[in-house]
Amino acid sequence: MSESVKLSVIYYSATGTGTEIAREIAETAEKEGAEVRLRRAAELAPAEAIASNPAWAANAEATKGIPEATPDDIVWADAVVFGSPTRYGNVASQLKQFIDQLGPQWGQGLLADKVYSGFTSSATLHGGQESTLLALSHTFYHFGGIIVPPGYTDGSKFADGNPYGTSHVDAQGNNPVDETTRTAARVQARRVVRVARALKADSSL
Ligand SMILES: Cc1cc2nc3c(=O)[nH]c(=O)nc-3n(C[C@H](O)[C@H](O)[C@H](O)COP(=O)(O)O)c2cc1C
């Protein structure tokens, strides 16, 4: 039997929306036969800021068991799915800080030729999900990555409406991750694993 696809889900989430999506992607990829590492970007915010927001504190406590991401989690992987909440239409500094520490691996070409994909969430419908996912993909270009978006490759994509990546509008915590978003996460995870498996089988790459 061929070696299984190795997939890392590397994300940052303050108040837990991204954690839900990351877990859904990780579980689906495992069901698809991938070997999965679920990793969170290290927190940079001061303890007082986290403690002042009950959802942030609860998510920090609930995700203590998820290891912090290291560069090896990308080097090891055939496919990487990054996730970040929208921060003013952009990637959260915690995830960006992790990405900005990858210079040595990038310089050695160790980030190239892998499948990359992204997910996000925002408080509002037009609050910058697409710009956040596109900002993430700028990094994938620099890695020499193979960007695999969900597109409209499944009928369900016309319900969630985001071909750039799984996304969720959380309405400041009033709209928990729902079945529409979970379906989008599953579609994206399956597609990422399938493409990575095909690339892995082609030894000419
Ligand atoms: C500093 C900051 C900036 C944010 N910027 C935006 C924004 O530009 N648009 C938006 O819709 N939501 C914005 N949000 C809300 C978060 O993106 C949203 O609540 C997200 O779903 C949180 O994900 P998490 O629960 O995984 O942390 C911002 C939140 C913070 C704390």
Side-chain angles (χ1 to χ4, degrees), residues 134-194:
L134 290 170
L136 257 181
S137 67
H138 295 165
T139 296
F140 305 155
Y141 282 97
H142 286 249
F143 286 176
I146 297 148
I147 300 171
V148 176
Y152 293 95
T153 56
D154 186 273
S156 65
K157 292 306 297 175
F158 292 93
D160 77 73
N162 195 335
Y164 298 86
T166 301
S167 58
H168 184 74
V169 176
D170 75 4
Q172 271 106 7
N174 293 312
N175 186 36
V177 171
D178 57 11
E179 198 46 36
T180 302
T181 299
R182 290 188 189 281
T183 300
R186 292 194 281 262
V187 166
Q188 185 171 8
R190 285 197 283 262
R191 182 167 162 78
V192 163
V193 172
R194 259 201 332 267

Side-chain angles (χ1 to χ4, degrees), residues 24-182:
E24 190 71 52
I25 289 174
E27 282 167 22
T28 304
E30 267 174 3
K31 284 183 195 147
E32 284 293 299
E35 192 181 336
V36 177
R37 288 186 185 181
L38 175 63
R39 300 288 186 264
R40 59 186 173 86
E43 184 55 87
L44 300 175
E48 311 84 79
I50 299 167
S52 72
N53 180 332
W56 199 351
N59 182 56
E61 181 61 27
T63 58
K64 272 198 319 211
I66 298 175
E68 285 184 1
T70 69
D72 179 65
D73 294 320
I74 301 188
V75 175
W76 167 85
D78 303 306
V80 186
V81 180
F82 280 103
S84 169
T86 285
R87 291 276 188 263
Y88 312 113
N90 219 316
V91 177
S93 58
Q94 288 85 347
L95 186 67
K96 191 64 169 50
Q97 165 76 354
F98 170 70
I99 289 170
D100 289 352
Q101 294 178 70
L102 298 171
Q105 290 75 22
W106 168 81
Q108 295 170 72
L110 296 173
L111 310 178
D113 299 341
K114 298 171 189 293
V115 165
Y116 292 95
S117 203
F119 68 86
T120 191
S121 67
S122 63
T124 57
L125 185 54
H126 297 290
Q129 296 184 341
E130 292 174 16
S131 57
T132 300
L133 290 168
L134 290 170
L136 257 181
S137 67
H138 295 165
T139 296
F140 305 155
Y141 282 97
H142 286 249
F143 286 176
I146 297 148
I147 300 171
V148 176
Y152 293 95
T153 56
D154 186 273
S156 65
K157 292 306 297 175
F158 292 93
D160 77 73
N162 195 335
Y164 298 86
T166 301
S167 58
H168 184 74
V169 176
D170 75 4
Q172 271 106 7
N174 293 312
N175 186 36
V177 171
D178 57 11
E179 198 46 36
T180 302
T181 299
R182 290 188 189 281

